[in-house]
Amino acid sequence: MSLGFGLDWKNYRMTGDTRFTKAPDGNVVVEKYPLQVSPDFSRIKVFSLTAILGFEHSFDDDFWIGFGPVVNFNVYGSVLTEYSMYGDDIRKKEKNIHQRPITIDWMLRLGICGIPLYAKYSDDNVLKDGGVKFRSLSFGLYF
């Protein structure tokens, strides 16, 4: 068993004719850009302090497997949208986006021939009730 601490920075980005924006009630919603706009991108960012609890088993020197929860203490969230309108570049940033204060991800780790890999799934919605609902799945190298 292992316990670790870390930092996590998640970005959820979209392009096209829709954007994230903060509604008057404070929730993040998806809406279309006005017709006169040339969109660049829109993204939600969530920064977290994490605690990782892992259970690991080594089969031999070339293969090990680990699994466990990652508790995210989501301390910051923002929406950033960039677009052009009438030739002017617009950058709109909104904070206090009602991100959930705590979320739990599930992480599977594999060591294969000295290469540490991971898959992480977040079953919790990133934002509180009333806003956009989505979950995340990521893959990568684990160090």
Side-chain angles (χ1 to χ4, degrees):
M1 187 166 84
S2 63
L3 178 66
F5 298 96
L7 304 173
D8 191 45
W9 186 310
K10 294 177 183 171
N11 282 299
Y12 305 96
R13 182 178 160 119
M14 71 173 155
T15 58
D17 63 350
T18 56
R19 63 182 171 174
F20 296 115
T21 190
K22 193 172 167 182
D25 64 2
N27 291 315
V28 174
V29 296
V30 175
E31 70 177 19
K32 288 189 169 279
Y33 287 96
L35 292 176
Q36 64 273 22
V37 166
S38 175
D40 188 9
F41 73 89
S42 185
R43 68 107 178 102
I44 292 174
K45 179 195 319 181
V46 178
F47 178 76
S48 310
L49 305 173
T50 64
I52 304 165
L53 180 62
F55 301 93
E56 297 180 1
H57 180 74
S58 181
F59 293 95
D60 58 37
D61 289 340
D62 290 331
F63 182 69
W64 58 267
I65 188 168
F67 180 77
V70 178
V71 180
N72 302 294
F73 300 93
N74 302 315
V75 296
Y76 176 81
S78 67
V79 170
L80 175 65
T81 302
E82 294 187 3
Y83 56 92
S84 296
M85 185 187 316
Y86 303 119
D88 294 329
D89 292 334
I90 309 292
R91 179 182 167 102
K92 183 178 179 184
K93 186 171 188 177
E94 300 171 291
K95 299 178 184 178
N96 303 317
I97 61 169
H98 293 193
Q99 73 272 9
R100 290 190 181 276
I102 298 174
T103 54
I104 297 177
D105 300 342
W106 296 96
M107 187 181 321
L108 174 67
R109 297 177 309 281
L110 297 173
I112 303 171
C113 298
I115 300 172
L117 305 170
Y118 80 91
K120 187 166 64 166
Y121 175 67
S122 179
D123 190 41
D124 292 333
N125 284 310
V126 175
L127 303 173
K128 291 181 182 178
D129 295 335
V132 178
K133 298 200 181 317
F134 57 91
R135 297 174 174 96
S136 62
L137 175 66
S138 61
F139 303 90
L141 295 172
Y142 180 82
F143 294 100

